[in-house]
Amino acid sequence: MDKGDKQYDRSVFFVSDGTGITAETFGGALLSQFDGLAIRELRLPFVDSVEKAIQAVDRINEQARHDTHRPIVFSTLINVEINEIVARANCRFLELLQTFKRLLETELKAISSHRVGRSHTAADTETYDRRMSAINYSLAHDDGQSNQDLEIADVVLVGVSRSGKTPTSLYLALQHGIKAANYPLIPEDFERKRLPDALIPIRERLFGLSIAPERLAEVRNERRPNSRYASLHNCRVEVAEAEAMMRREQISWVSSTNMSIEEIAAIVMQRLQAQD
């Protein structure tokens, strides 16, 4: 390891013949089960030829020479020959697709297509169009910038500024095709002791996000340091008022303080499915 380099417990490679999104998502989900490890994440996408496979082996072996432990490799390579070449590297090689593909071939009594990129082309046009429409909707209704068509939102996220509303709404749109608007609760709303007028007719579509005042102050200080907006006192007041309003209006809510965007989105999806 180079001098001055951050100390990592392990290097992890995500190797794919496509973009590597599947390898990174699946591998990342597995690694998230192990707390306290410092992981160096390295991506090797578009390994779709023997030549590139050999280059990948060289890169993995080079890392192995620098590290105390051999690297871990998550592979979604479809081509058997290419997969076998990369597996010869000095690493712990984990096949994410091949393992389950063989089991499914046995269970379904059918042979898979071995087609590169199949997982990303299988989505039909209707699903793609729904997600693009949802993304456009979420962008147009970010941070309360438009009150038009709020009645067609699947969900409207509410909370104080910088509580995680924007990334959650965009994740819901991108991953689930959910039309998610988000609307800030501001001091004027707290003074009036009621929801913004635009939200009252769609109260049943609201879902709240809160956050610990200390964490909110950290986030706001990154944007506007040493401002009243970012002061811990102001953050405590706003969070307390927002939570009181959500309780008063019977709006379901969660704290985003120690939750990932994926976890928040999963809770929102659970609520939406319960309403169906």
Side-chain angles (χ1 to χ4, degrees):
M1 188 174 294
D2 295 336
K3 289 182 179 180
D5 193 12
K6 176 180 176 179
Q7 297 298 308
Y8 290 95
D9 296 307
R10 214 64 178 258
S11 294
V12 174
F13 285 85
F14 302 105
V15 184
S16 172
D17 41 33
T19 62
I21 292 174
T22 301
E24 191 170 346
T25 301
F26 198 166
L30 291 171
L31 290 170
S32 70
Q33 303 303 308
F34 301 90
D35 296 331
L37 290 178
I39 301 295
R40 176 193 284 108
E41 297 184 356
L42 303 157
R43 296 157 187 82
L44 298 179
F46 307 114
V47 180
D48 53 7
S49 68
V50 169
E51 180 182 3
K52 291 181 180 178
I54 294 171
Q55 291 172 355
V57 170
D58 291 340
R59 176 67 185 87
I60 295 166
N61 287 343
E62 179 187 1
Q63 192 63 51
R65 286 192 292 271
H66 287 284
D67 291 354
T68 303
H69 304 286
R70 62 179 178 172
I72 296 171
V73 174
F74 290 105
S75 166
T76 54
L77 295 167
I78 294 296
N79 184 283
V80 175
E81 181 184 9
I82 293 174
N83 198 56
E84 289 177 348
I85 291 173
V86 178
R88 295 173 195 152
N90 182 15
C91 66
R92 181 64 174 94
F93 191 76
L94 302 174
E95 298 176 302
L96 298 181
L97 294 186
Q98 297 285 355
T99 300
F100 297 104
K101 181 172 66 65
R102 285 191 288 266
L103 293 172
L104 281 172
E105 285 179 338
T106 301
E107 180 65 26
L108 297 173
K109 296 180 175 57
I111 302 299
S112 66
S113 67
H114 295 268
R115 183 168 145 197
V116 173
R118 181 76 180 184
S119 62
H120 299 295
T121 60
D124 57 28
T125 302
E126 183 180 350
T127 299
Y128 175 84
D129 289 344
R130 185 176 69 250
R131 290 186 179 184
M132 292 304 102
S133 176
I135 290 170
N136 289 332
Y137 182 88
S138 293
L139 288 172
H141 295 80
D142 179 42
D143 208 28
Q145 62 183 305
S146 174
N147 293 339
Q148 292 186 343
D149 300 326
L150 279 177
E151 70 278 0
I152 69 172
D154 295 306
V155 65
V156 179
L157 303 179
V158 296
V160 298
S161 171
R162 313 302 288 180
S163 58
K165 301 185 301 300
T166 294
T168 302
S169 62
L170 291 175
Y171 182 89
L172 286 166
L174 179 62
Q175 295 295 325
H176 301 290
I178 296 297
K179 285 187 171 68
N182 71 81
Y183 211 100
L185 298 177
I186 59 177
E188 287 80 358
D189 300 321
F190 306 143
E191 291 172 8
R192 290 192 301 264
K193 300 293 183 183
R194 63 184 177 87
L195 290 169
D197 292 340
L199 301 183
I200 293 174
I202 56 167
R203 185 184 281 105
E204 73 282 356
R205 298 178 188 269
L206 304 183
F207 188 88
L209 294 185
S210 189
I211 185 172
E214 294 77 12
R215 176 56 183 153
L216 180 61
E218 290 177 7
V219 174
R220 288 184 172 184
N221 267 297
E222 291 175 3
R223 187 178 186 184
R224 290 167 56 182
N226 303 317
S227 63
R228 181 182 181 279
Y229 165 79
S231 72
L232 181 56
H233 172 73
N234 183 62
C235 290
R236 283 174 173 162
V237 170
E238 287 195 28
V239 168
E241 289 285 354
E243 291 182 359
M245 179 175 289
M246 289 187 280
R247 284 191 291 267
R248 190 166 57 247
E249 299 290 341
Q250 298 184 322
I251 298 169
S252 298
W253 59 278
V254 296
S255 173
S256 64
T257 309
N258 297 311
M259 298 181 69
S260 67
I261 299 301
E262 294 86 349
E263 289 172 321
I264 299 169
I267 292 173
V268 173
M269 290 298 297
Q270 259 187 330
R271 179 175 181 270
L272 292 177
Q273 290 164 4
Q275 291 176 334
D276 290 343

